[in-house]
């Protein structure tokens, strides 16, 4: 994938402030990382605040969901129905943060906007995190929350026939891909299959997996973009080790699933200055080759998660707009039965 090297050329608008960005590999203290994550959230929230819908435009409720050895919280966001009994497509969201960071508030403002502007019923999942809860807890919690959403569609004013999408950013994108594969083979979802999945800047392959060597010629971004900013190669190793992901796993390493055939249509966003760039592109290629409708948007010269820090630059505004369009595209396929399967 040397043809993608040009995507690492720094975006001119981003270049002005690139040196101000953190590099996660320099910080191994999980508590400190979580505090930095909350600080970056405040930047995005301040930017999005003028676009927030009025409280009367949606219903926001936190629910407790039972999971193995405990419970988690999910937040439901439902548009205020103009007519009694109105229902909406369902989107289940998983936040990012390398499986060690993140919470319900991380994407809360953005999801409120999506809920109202796209008229979606949204379930925002706060899965448990490492190192307190190591692999595969985050994935199993998220899967349980997705099944809970199906069982409680009436409570959520959701009609899964109108669209049933799982989505997430970074770690959450990985969870989305995992659920897309697992739900395909689970009889529980036979009558309510997923109709799409969204993966923003996804990790899909353990950097210590034996198969990395097999795909070496197609995974050059891990070296090209190893020093960040934001996400570094060392940081990726750090996150996977804290989480306790085995080198031979097939949960995190969704790229290595035996087959991608039959999973729901995919919309993926990839950043050119991200170490994860090439594995995301390879995943999209393999999924499309398996016969799955796939749509990819690429943002040259910007790093992993850049929009949380500089949401005002053109690339971030475009990525935000593209996400809306990607979700609309998946919803259009959900209403065309010939497009699924």
């Amino acid at each position: 994938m040397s043809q993608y090297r040009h995507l690492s050329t720094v975006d001119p608008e981003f270049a002005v402030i690139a040196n101000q960005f953190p590099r996660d590999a320099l910080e191994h203290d999980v508590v400190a990382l979580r505090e930095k994550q909350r600080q970056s959230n405040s930047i995005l929230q301040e930017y999005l605040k003028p676009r927030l819908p009025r409280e009367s435009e949606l219903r926001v409720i936190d629910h407790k969901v039972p999971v193995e050895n405990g419970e988690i919280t999910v937040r439901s966001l439902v548009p205020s129905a103009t007519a009694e009994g109105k229902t909406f497509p369902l989107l289940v969201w998983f936040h990012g943060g390398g499986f060690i960071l993140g919470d319900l508030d991380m994407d809360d403002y953005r999801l409120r906007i999506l809920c109202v502007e796209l008229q979606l019923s949204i379930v925002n999942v706060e899965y448990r995190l490492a190192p307190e809860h190591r692999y595969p807890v985050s994935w199993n919690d998220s899967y349980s929350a997705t099944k809970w959403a199906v069982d409680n569609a009436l409570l959520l004013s959701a009609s899964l026939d109108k669209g049933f999408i799982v989505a997430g950013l970074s770690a959450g994108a990985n969870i989305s891909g995992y659920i897309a594969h697992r739900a395909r083979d689970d009889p529980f979802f036979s009558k309510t299959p997923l109709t799409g999945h969204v993966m923003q800047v996804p990790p899909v392959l353990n950097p210590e997996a034996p198969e990395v060597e097999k795909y070496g010629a197609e995974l050059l971004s891990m070296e090209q973009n190893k020093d960040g900013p934001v996400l570094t190669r060392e940081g990726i190793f750090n996150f996977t080790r804290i989480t306790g992901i085995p080198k031979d796993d097939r949960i995190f390493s969704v790229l290595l699933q035996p087959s991608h055939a039959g999973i729901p249509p995919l919309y993926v966003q990839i950043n050119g200055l991200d170490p994860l760039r090439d594995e995301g592109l390879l995943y999209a290629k393999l999924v499309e080759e398996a016969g799955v409708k796939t749509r990819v948007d690429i943002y040259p010269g910007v790093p992993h998660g850049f929009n949380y820090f500089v949401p005002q630059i053109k690339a971030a505004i475009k990525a935000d707009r593209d996400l809306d369009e990607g979700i609309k595209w998946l919803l259009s396929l959900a209403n065309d039965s010939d497009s699924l399967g």
Side-chain angles (χ1 to χ4, degrees), residues 72-138:
I72 61 172
T73 303
V74 303
R75 177 171 296 163
S76 66
L77 312 171
V78 181
S80 297
T82 55
E84 186 175 353
K86 186 173 182 180
T87 58
F88 309 91
L90 178 67
L91 184 144
V92 184
W93 176 263
F94 312 104
H95 65 76
F99 308 100
I100 66 175
L101 313 173
D103 53 29
L104 288 175
D105 295 328
M106 185 172 182
D107 301 300
D108 184 66
Y109 280 21
R110 181 70 182 102
L111 294 177
R112 288 173 188 248
I113 294 167
L114 275 177
C115 169
V116 173
E117 291 188 354
L118 298 191
Q119 291 291 282
L120 298 171
S121 175
I122 297 178
V123 174
N124 181 9
V125 179
E126 190 171 69
Y127 52 87
R128 290 173 292 178
L129 302 172
E132 296 88 348
H133 302 281
R134 286 161 60 88
Y135 169 100
V137 171
S138 298

Side-chain angles (χ1 to χ4, degrees), residues 294-312:
T294 303
R295 179 168 169 172
V296 180
D297 282 318
I298 304 173
Y299 309 93
V302 290
H304 190 91
F306 77 104
N307 50 304
Y308 283 86
F309 298 89
V310 285
Q312 76 282 3

Side-chain angles (χ1 to χ4, degrees), residues 90 145-154 156 160 164 188-189 192:
L90 178 67
T146 305
K147 296 175 78 170
W148 176 91
V150 172
D151 286 336
N152 290 275
L154 182 62
L156 302 169
L160 306 187
F164 181 14
F188 176 89
F189 290 95
T192 53

Side-chain angles (χ1 to χ4, degrees), residues 99 174 203-214 216 219 222-223 231-242 245-249 252-256 275-276 279:
F99 308 100
N174 178 271
V204 290
L205 179 64
N206 190 329
E208 298 184 277
E211 289 82 1
V212 169
E213 186 173 340
K214 170 185 174 182
L219 301 175
M222 192 66 76
E223 174 63 26
L231 183 65
T232 64
R233 181 172 63 184
E234 183 183 346
I236 294 168
F237 277 82
N238 190 32
F239 289 155
T240 55
R241 289 169 180 171
I242 289 174
I245 299 171
K247 295 179 182 180
D248 61 350
D249 93 293
F252 174 82
S253 294
V254 66
L255 178 75
L256 303 178
L276 302 173
E279 63 190 74

Side-chain angles (χ1 to χ4, degrees), residues 275-288:
L276 302 173
R277 181 194 72 212
D278 288 354
E279 63 190 74
L281 289 168
L282 178 58
Y283 176 77
K285 173 187 172 185
L286 294 175
V287 167
E288 186 169 34

Side-chain angles (χ1 to χ4, degrees), residues 133-210:
H133 302 281
R134 286 161 60 88
Y135 169 100
V137 171
S138 298
W139 293 264
N140 288 340
D141 283 359
S142 299
Y143 197 69
S144 295
T146 305
K147 296 175 78 170
W148 176 91
V150 172
D151 286 336
N152 290 275
L154 182 62
L155 174 69
L156 302 169
S157 298
S159 173
L160 306 187
D161 291 337
K162 295 180 178 179
F164 181 14
I165 298 169
V166 289
L169 178 140
S170 191
N174 178 271
I175 290 172
S176 173
Y178 163 70
I179 290 177
H181 285 80
R182 182 173 174 182
R184 172 197 60 190
D185 303 324
D186 187 343
F188 176 89
F189 290 95
S190 60
K191 294 182 179 179
T192 53
L194 293 173
T195 62
H197 69 303
V198 175
M199 301 175 77
Q200 292 183 291
V201 294
V204 290
L205 179 64
N206 190 329
E208 298 184 277

Side-chain angles (χ1 to χ4, degrees), residues 6-73:
H6 68 282
L7 296 174
S8 296
T9 301
V10 181
D11 174 271
E13 194 175 7
F14 177 76
V16 177
I17 41 78
N19 290 335
Q20 302 173 20
F21 271 57
R23 283 164 171 75
D24 56 39
L26 303 179
E27 180 61 76
H28 293 261
D29 183 337
V30 171
V31 174
L33 281 169
R34 287 173 177 170
E35 179 55 34
K36 288 181 179 179
Q37 174 255 315
R38 283 189 286 269
Q39 291 172 7
S40 69
N41 282 0
S42 66
I43 297 172
L44 180 60
Q45 288 175 341
E46 191 63 29
Y47 174 78
L48 292 175
K49 190 176 294 184
R51 290 179 55 195
L52 275 177
R54 296 186 301 273
E55 290 186 6
S56 61
E57 294 182 273
L58 73 167
R59 183 174 75 247
V60 182
I61 303 175
D62 287 357
H63 308 269
K64 296 297 182 182
V65 173
V67 293
E68 186 176 3
N69 299 321
E71 65 178 13
I72 61 172
T73 303

